[in-house]
Amino acid sequence: MENGKKILNDFVKSKFADQNELKKALFQAGVAALDEGWTFMDATFQLGGKARDEGLSADDVEKILRNAFSEEKRRTEREAEQKAAAQAAQAAAQPAQAPQAQAAQAQPGMASGYAAMGPTVISPISATMMQQMIALGLDNQSLELLQNFKIDPEALSIPWPAPDWRKDFAKLLAATFKPDETVEFKISNTPSGSREIVSKIIAQDEALKKIMKQLDGPDGALLTINAVKGGADATDESWHYRYVVVDNPKMTLAKQLAYYKALNLPCAALVNTGANSVQAWIKIEAHDQEEYKERVDFLFQTLESQGFKVDDGNRNPNQMVRMPGVLRNGKQQYLIALEQGAKNFTEWREWAEYSLDGKPLVELASDSEEAPKKDVTIIENVLRAGEFFLFTAPPKSGKSLALMDMALSICHGEDWLGNTTNANDVLYINLELTKSVFLNRLFLLGEKRNLQPNTPKFGFLNLRGTALTPLEIAQLIAKRIQGAKKLENHDYKVVVIDPISAVLHNPKSSRLSGSPHQILMQMVDSIIALTGCAVVTSTNIGEYPYLESRADSVISLTPVEGSLNTYQIKGSFREFPKTLARECSWIYPRFIV
């Protein structure tokens, strides 16, 4: 492909007499901008502005650039399909290999027949919406915010500047200040500014456009977030403590908007800075400096607790913010919206204290038009993701090997104890065995079952001898699962804890007060809540009756009298019908139905 920078430079410098030629050039420039690392908003301002100046409609510009920014995804998919087709043709042309040779070639990195899983996106999201999300620069954290607070992603589309955007300054002043209050504004990076009464600025009307053009520059223009002088009827200094500005230039524009929407912030105005930020004018409405400081502290602490860090410099009631209606290095500083979110600070604070306490909210059945899709099934008619499964059997009967056999079966989608499993990633928490013994058992089971033991879908975490409380273990497991999903492309759906009783056998756990049964159940619930995984473990029959009563699924093995190494399998399930009793035999190293 032609050099991206050259394509961009040629587009900006060229004149287009033909609309079709302009559309084609804009699409090519959009693809080049994506290759050069531009964001969608960079392209809409720089390339879109040029195209609109050349006579292309705003709708056509947006459609062409969105298609251009989706082109990279389609091109990658085509290349992957072509590569897969070439590999399939090559494989068909080669003579069949022995299973052992195929298994050897599958390593290192990925087992034969297992495709790398892409990043998980919160569902349900349509293909069209996904393209919009990519174009807007949203990530999983943004999508989770939107889903938790039921915000339509369409609401995050940043509108084009209005045809009379040069008058945005007057619109902002009319909506946020009293007519006889005084504001200060200046060109950025200049020592002093100008002060003027709001009503006089608004009265300029059409002449304001010429005035705003004089403020265009490489660094744009600024104004004070609060008035610098109150009106004639002011009885206190509330005019000086009315607003505070919030933004985070390290986030994409769409992600900032996602936070403003999801957190219901009492926004008086939203202003595009002409760079990589959207400044929100937050209503503080304090009567004096003390109340202003207290409210801003609460606002900033709440935002930070939700992952939105605001610069402490923004606390200043004299803070200069971006003034809409001017160009900043060729990009428009303009007004996006007025009045969004809670009506005032008091209303928002009540909402935040109720909604953002980190605990579940009341949900309405009317929010769901139809029954939601059930969680991923791990073992048919036995276990789904997000459930707790307990396997019980007599002491020293082979419970640990049975759990390892189950984990390996799930990784390969093979039957376990006569039950069909669906292939999923499994994380095995080893609290008892040395690494050497653990891996030798795993390879022995793989050999006996003719399954690849070193599949990348089987992960394990050695915690033998680690001094952690049950809650700390749950947090560590969640952290490792989240890290594996983000950095290693593993999406664990099952956590196996073996043995769960070992969690209590360390100095930290021994100092805990409360019933051991409840402590272990709290750990299980925490893992499920933090990861969404199914949790699987085993105990001796009758060892932890509280766990049995709380488990979603229980399979018990009881010895058959008069028969050596023969056991009866009984299953009881919260979400599935009970299974008929049947028998299995212990033939080292596994139970066989």
Side-chain angles (χ1 to χ4, degrees):
M1 183 180 174
E2 192 177 354
N3 181 273
K5 291 183 179 178
K6 184 177 185 303
I7 293 175
L8 293 169
N9 288 333
D10 288 346
F11 177 79
V12 173
K13 294 176 182 177
S14 299
K15 296 291 183 181
F16 299 93
D18 182 71
Q19 289 282 296
N20 290 330
E21 182 185 349
L22 173 58
K23 290 178 180 179
K24 181 179 178 182
L26 177 60
F27 179 82
Q28 291 174 343
V31 174
L34 181 62
D35 291 338
E36 291 295 317
W38 289 26
T39 66
F40 178 74
M41 291 309 300
D42 286 336
T44 57
F45 281 118
Q46 297 197 38
L47 304 180
K50 163 70 175 176
R52 292 196 305 277
D53 290 343
E54 292 284 336
L56 206 58
S57 71
D59 288 342
D60 283 342
V61 169
E62 182 171 11
K63 181 179 179 180
I64 291 169
L65 286 177
R66 287 200 186 280
N67 286 337
F69 268 64
S70 300
E71 171 66 14
E72 175 68 18
K73 180 173 178 285
R74 292 196 297 270
R75 187 169 59 201
T76 302
E77 289 173 348
R78 285 197 300 269
E79 290 173 356
E81 289 172 359
Q82 291 169 358
K83 184 177 179 181
Q87 290 175 344
Q90 183 179 2
Q94 292 177 349
Q97 297 173 309
Q100 293 84 354
Q102 290 178 347
Q105 288 180 357
Q107 294 296 321
M110 186 68 70
S112 175
Y114 291 94
M117 296 180 68
T120 300
V121 178
I122 294 173
S123 60
I125 294 178
S126 66
T128 301
M129 190 176 293
M130 176 59 70
Q131 287 192 355
Q132 293 173 346
M133 297 300 96
I134 293 170
L136 288 169
L138 286 178
D139 58 12
N140 284 352
Q141 184 183 17
S142 311
L143 294 172
E144 185 174 358
L145 271 172
L146 299 180
Q147 188 180 58
N148 287 347
F149 292 97
K150 300 180 176 64
I151 304 297
D152 184 357
E154 290 283 350
L156 304 187
S157 296
I158 299 177
W160 294 103
D164 61 345
W165 70 276
R166 285 288 189 182
K167 298 170 69 174
D168 280 357
F169 183 34
K171 296 176 189 175
L172 176 65
L173 295 181
T176 54
F177 295 94
K178 294 181 179 179
D180 56 350
E181 291 176 342
T182 302
V183 295
E184 180 177 339
F185 56 93
K186 67 172 187 174
I187 296 176
S188 188
N189 292 329
T190 55
S192 59
S194 301
R195 295 190 174 192
E196 190 57 83
I197 295 175
V198 168
S199 59
K200 291 185 178 181
I201 298 173
I202 297 173
Q204 295 294 325
D205 199 24
E206 291 300 320
L208 186 62
K209 295 180 180 179
K210 294 181 179 179
I211 298 172
M212 301 308 287
K213 285 184 178 180
Q214 296 172 8
L215 298 175
D216 292 347
D219 300 308
L222 306 170
L223 85 147
T224 50
I225 184 75
N226 288 297
V228 294
K229 184 180 178 182
D233 61 346
T235 57
D236 54 25
E237 290 191 326
S238 58
W239 48 268
H240 190 54
Y241 301 111
R242 193 175 294 149
Y243 307 110
V244 71
V245 66
V246 161
D247 69 339
N248 188 327
K250 294 181 180 180
M251 292 182 178
T252 64
L253 299 179
K255 187 170 183 179
Q256 291 175 69
L257 284 177
Y259 268 97
Y260 302 157
K261 283 273 189 182
L263 300 185
N264 196 32
L265 295 181
C267 300
L270 296 172
V271 176
N272 194 308
T273 64
N276 57 341
S277 184
V278 174
Q279 290 185 335
W281 288 45
I282 307 300
K283 301 173 191 175
I284 297 299
E285 301 160 327
H287 292 91
D288 52 38
Q289 184 176 8
E290 183 179 353
E291 186 178 31
Y292 177 86
K293 182 180 182 302
E294 187 273 329
R295 290 188 171 192
V296 170
D297 283 347
F298 179 83
L299 171 68
F300 280 35
Q301 288 168 9
T302 301
L303 288 171
E304 188 165 356
S305 73
Q306 300 298 315
F308 192 99
K309 175 67 175 174
V310 184
D311 191 297
D312 278 340
N314 289 15
R315 295 173 180 270
N316 187 354
N318 299 312
Q319 179 77 3
M320 301 290 281
V321 297
R322 289 291 157 186
M323 184 171 76
V326 302
L327 291 176
R328 178 185 182 186
N329 197 27
K331 298 180 181 179
Q332 293 148 304
Q333 294 182 181
Y334 69 93
L335 189 62
I336 293 176
L338 294 169
E339 292 297 327
Q340 175 181 290
K343 293 180 180 179
N344 51 55
F345 185 87
T346 302
E347 180 184 287
W348 173 76
R349 187 171 195 158
E350 291 175 353
W351 177 90
E353 289 174 341
Y354 168 75
S355 303
L356 301 179
D357 56 5
K359 297 178 175 63
L361 297 175
V362 173
E363 298 185 61
L364 301 177
S366 58
D367 289 338
S368 302
E369 294 182 1
E370 57 185 29
K373 184 179 179 181
K374 293 183 178 179
D375 292 320
V376 174
T377 298
I378 308 298
I379 304 175
E380 295 292 340
N381 296 316
V382 174
L383 180 65
R384 291 194 185 102
E387 296 181 348
F388 174 38
F389 172 57
L390 185 64
F391 178 75
T392 67
K396 303 300 180 183
S397 59
K399 293 187 297 296
S400 291
L401 282 164
L403 291 186
M404 191 176 288
D405 187 27
M406 174 200 283
L408 193 60
S409 299
I410 293 171
C411 289
H412 289 278
E414 296 289 338
D415 287 1
W416 177 76
L417 289 185
N419 300 295
T420 303
T421 73
N422 296 306
N424 281 284
D425 288 8
V426 178
L427 180 61
Y428 201 108
I429 312 302
N430 173 36
L431 290 158
E432 183 177 49
L433 307 176
T434 65
K435 181 178 178 180
S436 174
V437 172
F438 178 85
L439 287 175
N440 272 283
R441 283 189 175 188
L442 179 62
F443 274 72
L444 175 62
L445 278 167
E447 180 183 349
K448 294 291 185 181
R449 298 202 57 188
N450 197 25
L451 297 177
Q452 184 181 344
N454 53 346
T455 168
K457 298 181 79 67
F458 190 110
F460 63 95
L461 186 61
N462 280 316
L463 295 185
R464 175 181 172 175
T466 305
L468 295 171
T469 65
L471 182 57
E472 289 171 340
I473 288 175
Q475 292 169 338
L476 175 62
I477 291 170
K479 183 178 180 181
R480 293 292 181 263
I481 287 175
Q482 291 161 4
K485 187 173 185 178
K486 185 175 182 180
L487 304 175
E488 301 171 6
N489 212 21
H490 289 297
D491 190 11
Y492 293 111
K493 294 295 185 186
V494 184
V495 174
V496 179
I497 303 174
D498 182 37
I500 195 168
S501 58
V503 171
L504 302 173
H505 301 163
N506 70 70
K508 275 195 170 183
S509 295
S510 63
R511 292 195 293 267
L512 295 174
S513 59
S515 163
H517 302 244
Q518 294 177 337
I519 291 172
L520 292 178
M521 195 62 229
Q522 184 181 34
M523 179 188 72
V524 170
D525 285 339
S526 297
I527 294 171
I528 292 173
L530 292 170
T531 67
C533 293
V535 174
V536 176
T537 192
S538 66
T539 65
N540 295 328
I541 294 175
E543 183 179 11
Y544 290 104
Y546 182 72
L547 294 187
E548 289 190 45
S549 67
R550 289 291 307 278
D552 297 287
S553 301
V554 178
I555 286 183
S556 300
L557 267 59
T558 54
V560 175
E561 292 185 11
S563 299
L564 183 64
N565 292 333
T566 302
Y567 297 84
Q568 187 177 63
I569 305 173
K570 292 181 180 179
S572 60
F573 315 102
R574 196 185 307 277
E575 295 296 323
F576 302 101
K578 286 187 176 182
T579 57
L580 297 174
R582 49 184 171 162
E583 293 184 354
C584 66
S585 301
W586 170 251
I587 301 175
Y588 184 83
R590 55 189 296 261
F591 291 99
I592 299 175
V593 176

